[in-house]
Amino acid sequence: MSAIILDGTAYAEEIRAQVAAHVAELQSDGRVIRLVAIVVGDDPAGRLYAASQRRQSEKVGIQYELIDLPESTTQERLLETIDRLNVDHGVTGILLHLPLPPHIESSLAQYRIDPYKDVEGVNPANIGLLFYGEPIIAPCTALAVNELVRRSGLVVEGANAVVVGQSRIVGKPITMFLLSQNATVTACHKLTRDLVSHTRAADLLIVAVGKPGVIGAEHVRPGMVVIDVGINSVTGTGPDGKPSRRTVGDVDFEAVAPVVRAISPVPGGVGPLTVAMLLRNTVEAARKQQLTRSEPAAS
Ligand code: NAP
């Protein structure tokens, strides 16, 4: 039996349509939804990613602005820029592209973003609130994974979930998300002994490592749902026999797909859904900001 392929591109399209409807609703109340991205330095990937975010934002009616700062920008100047955006009521969401130049402390800059404008859900306030299962804005990748799991039909409550990778931005938030839904969660990492024994015991396997092929046929068993978060650029051979670059996940898709019940592909799985979640978070941010601003002041 062949696996269900969890088509993130198609699901992202549905989410964008829902977001566009919500944005139109907010606009009819006179609200402008505006996302501001900050890129610092010469990394061309940040600008490429920003161009893609702009296209997707504008398609759903979200205004997108890019603040492009030079490599020489000081930490103080970046923090001032964030502070200015934090207090500007015309700004709904703030996005900080990483990596930042080495003289700037990334976590300090991320910490500075107002948790209500933190549309990527990376501020420690939002990550911390995940422990209580109620972040103001949840991390986009964890939301994307959650959406794929939901669409796989797997009942998370009581399921054995194994998360491979425990980074602050990806692995740990996914672990907390699953725990808050009453899965029994095992977090694996570089020093985990006998990874196979853990992964094979899973009903749900989520892989966020950044190493192509780290999960092969030996790590899985029939009936499992596998979500591949990894994005890796590898060199292969093109149809003309010449070297060419392509994007693959962390899971050996060809080996694993014939065994498991459902699997997300790379590309076309978690990636497109993560961007859709960023747009959804922006609308969520607008709603929550409205609520906090309309709350009566404490006497
Ligand atoms: P990261 O910060 O490098 O973390 C990688 C994690 O994998 C670490 O916890 C590390 O363990 C663990 N690890 C490394 N080798 C391992 C092994 N052989 N066995 C088990 N665990 C191992 O990377 P990240 O930022 O979390 O990103 C992970 C992947 O997700 C990357 O490919 C990235 O491009 C991708 N990503 C995708 C999206 C998306 O939207 N689809 C978003 C963000 C990131 P230690 O903690 O012990 O070092």
Side-chain angles (χ1 to χ4, degrees):
M1 206 178 75
S2 58
I4 300 165
I5 306 301
L6 300 165
D7 184 349
T9 307
Y11 304 154
E13 194 59 50
E14 287 174 33
I15 287 165
R16 277 196 296 273
Q18 290 162 9
V19 171
H22 287 141
V23 171
E25 205 178 292
L26 289 163
Q27 279 171 342
S28 68
D29 284 344
R31 298 285 309 273
V32 172
I33 313 301
R34 187 158 147 247
L35 192 52
V36 179
I38 306 171
V39 174
V40 189
D42 304 325
D43 180 19
R47 272 163 206 86
L48 268 179
Y49 191 36
S52 151
Q53 284 172 345
R54 178 188 294 280
R55 278 194 303 276
Q56 303 219 28
S57 300
E58 291 178 348
K59 265 193 214 162
V60 298
I62 294 174
Q63 289 184 7
Y64 187 92
E65 185 193 328
L66 177 64
I67 298 180
D68 198 335
L69 298 172
E71 181 83 16
S72 58
T73 302
T74 61
Q75 181 158 293
E76 196 183 17
R77 166 88 205 285
L78 174 62
L79 296 182
E80 278 167 15
T81 305
I82 295 171
D83 288 344
R84 182 172 54 75
L85 297 172
N86 281 341
V87 295
D88 182 344
H89 281 197
V91 174
T92 317
I94 305 168
L95 264 171
L96 182 64
H97 285 279
L98 299 182
L100 294 170
H103 62 275
I104 299 180
E105 211 180 308
S106 304
S107 55
L108 203 67
Q110 285 177 316
Y111 289 10
R112 196 69 162 235
I113 299 171
D114 181 332
Y116 281 86
K117 294 193 177 186
D118 169 35
V119 285
E120 289 182 295
V122 293
N123 185 298
N126 280 318
I127 299 282
L129 284 167
L130 264 181
F131 272 76
Y132 302 112
E134 48 192 35
I136 301 163
I137 300 174
C140 301
T141 312
L143 286 171
V145 167
N146 204 46
E147 187 70 23
L148 284 171
V149 173
R150 193 176 70 76
R151 298 202 183 222
S152 76
L154 181 109
V155 177
V156 174
E157 202 174 41
N160 286 332
V162 173
V163 182
V164 187
Q166 58 154 359
S167 71
R168 284 198 301 185
I169 302 294
V170 187
K172 283 196 176 107
I174 292 170
T175 298
M176 291 315 302
F177 234 95
L178 291 165
L179 195 57
S180 69
Q181 293 171 71
N182 295 319
T184 302
V185 193
T186 305
C188 298
H189 45 80
K190 219 185 273 174
L191 300 183
T192 297
R193 286 194 295 270
D194 193 8
L195 183 64
V196 170
S197 71
H198 293 286
T199 60
R200 281 184 63 86
D203 303 309
L204 171 62
L205 174 61
I206 295 169
V207 191
V209 170
K211 288 185 183 160
V214 76
I215 297 296
E218 70 278 20
H219 294 88
V220 297
R221 61 175 173 77
M224 280 169 65
V225 173
V226 179
I227 309 290
D228 190 353
V229 185
I231 302 176
N232 308 290
S233 180
V234 295
T235 306
T237 310
D240 54 1
K242 291 186 182 153
S244 69
R245 302 221 43 95
R246 66 191 179 102
T247 302
V248 299
D250 290 341
V251 176
D252 180 347
F253 186 88
E254 275 72 31
V256 169
V259 181
V260 299
R261 184 166 76 72
I263 183 167
S264 69
V266 179
V270 179
L273 260 179
T274 302
V275 185
M277 291 304 168
L278 174 74
L279 304 176
R280 198 165 83 177
N281 273 354
T282 306
V283 173
E284 186 67 7
R287 286 191 194 285
K288 294 204 164 154
Q289 286 162 27
Q290 196 167 22
L291 282 176
T292 55
R293 281 180 203 145
S294 56
E295 269 171 16
S299 54

